[in-house]
Amino acid sequence: MKFDKRAALVSAAALTSSLACAAQPNVVFILADDMGYGDVSALNEKSRIRTPAIDALCREGVTFTDAHSGSSVSTPSRYGILTGRYAFRTTLKSGVTNSYSPPLIAPDRRTIATFLSEQGYSTACIGKWHLGWNWAMRDGEVDFSGPIDGGPVTRGFDYFFGIPASLDMPPYVYIENDRVTALPDRTEEILVCLHAYRERVRALPEPLRRQALAAALEACLERGRPLEPAEQERLLEEYRTGGERK
């Protein structure tokens, strides 16, 4: 039997490539707002919900039970995970950014996505960014048709699909890489409505105030328009009298 040197080299190269891939496992970070440690059934047998997919990750991987965060809210905790740096050393000294905030991560700041890219990984960010970026501008106004700068694809990620900030923060658009997938058409009208409604719910105690605002946002998005004054009053009355939305 004649030895096929070329076939042997191809096989060796394929094996080497396969071993190299096996040596670099997938790395997935999952950040969930308003999710407690005890919500995961693998970590709490008395959890009221079952989380089989996360439970499988716990069984097949490593579970860390003593963890710490630089903050209890979205923006600074995301900044810390991505950069390894305390978020309040930036221009942000409290709270979170909004959808129109400038980039919190400086252009020359390395991120974990940058590091993984340097190790041969393909990187992607899916979901909310909430770390600021620069919208395109035209005549002093945001140009939603223009490219976004300073976002995920300029901070180490090869691909991004998600929203600018939290669900209650306009504009209500999806972004793929550095472009909106569709132009917003009711952003300002809904924003004005929600600001007015926020003033009306100030007298409610927490958490009813927050729940009432979330309900108003949901109603606006369902209808695709701002709430009429009568609709606002009916919704507000549910929280005034019933304590929660029925």
Side-chain angles (χ1 to χ4, degrees):
M1 179 178 177
K2 185 177 179 181
F3 177 71
D4 190 335
K5 184 177 180 181
R6 183 175 181 278
L9 289 173
V10 170
S11 298
L15 177 61
T16 301
S17 176
S18 177
L19 291 173
C21 289
Q24 286 190 298
N26 291 326
V27 179
V28 181
F29 285 86
I30 303 174
L31 268 68
D33 281 1
D34 304 319
M35 181 177 179
Y37 180 92
D39 292 333
V40 178
S41 51
L43 304 177
N44 176 20
E45 62 181 17
K46 296 182 180 180
S47 175
R48 296 187 178 184
I49 57 174
R50 298 291 96 187
T51 53
I54 299 178
D55 293 354
L57 290 175
C58 293
R59 287 194 307 272
E60 299 168 13
V62 177
T63 301
F64 297 93
T65 58
D66 185 8
H68 305 269
S69 173
S71 177
S72 61
V73 291
S74 177
T75 298
S77 58
R78 289 165 186 270
Y79 180 92
I81 288 173
L82 283 175
T83 66
R85 185 171 182 251
Y86 188 51
F88 297 123
R89 289 177 177 162
T90 67
T91 55
L92 182 75
K93 301 306 179 185
S94 65
V96 298
T97 59
N98 61 51
S99 300
Y100 297 100
S101 298
L104 192 61
I105 301 177
D108 59 348
R109 176 73 55 189
R110 294 179 78 238
T111 67
I112 195 166
T114 308
F115 170 77
L116 290 173
S117 295
E118 293 168 354
Q119 309 310 309
Y121 279 89
S122 295
T123 57
C125 177
I126 309 296
K128 77 169 183 176
W129 178 238
H130 213 178
L131 287 163
W133 56 40
N134 295 316
W135 293 97
M137 303 296 291
R138 179 186 297 173
D139 299 327
E141 300 289 336
V142 173
D143 178 10
F144 290 106
S145 66
I148 294 164
D149 181 52
V153 293
T154 66
R155 298 299 187 267
F157 289 101
D158 299 316
Y159 178 79
F160 172 70
F161 188 91
I163 58 177
S166 295
L167 287 171
D168 60 338
M169 295 180 178
Y172 306 114
V173 292
Y174 287 112
I175 292 90
E176 186 168 23
N177 293 326
D178 63 350
R179 298 273 184 170
V180 299
T181 59
L183 296 178
D185 56 1
R186 294 182 176 88
T187 298
E188 294 305 320
E189 294 175 3
I190 292 178
L191 180 59
V192 169
C193 168
L194 291 176
H195 274 300
Y197 188 75
R198 177 178 291 175
E199 294 302 315
R200 300 187 67 186
V201 302
R202 282 190 184 279
L204 293 175
E206 288 290 4
L208 294 182
R209 183 188 311 152
R210 185 169 64 252
Q211 292 169 357
L213 281 171
L217 172 60
E218 180 182 359
C220 286
L221 296 179
E222 285 176 353
R223 292 165 173 75
R225 60 169 175 76
L227 295 179
E228 299 292 340
E231 293 173 319
Q232 292 185 36
E233 185 58 34
R234 282 196 299 271
L235 185 59
L236 184 58
E237 191 62 23
E238 292 180 11
Y239 287 92
R240 284 198 190 114
T241 59
E244 61 181 17
R245 195 177 182 191
K246 299 176 182 177

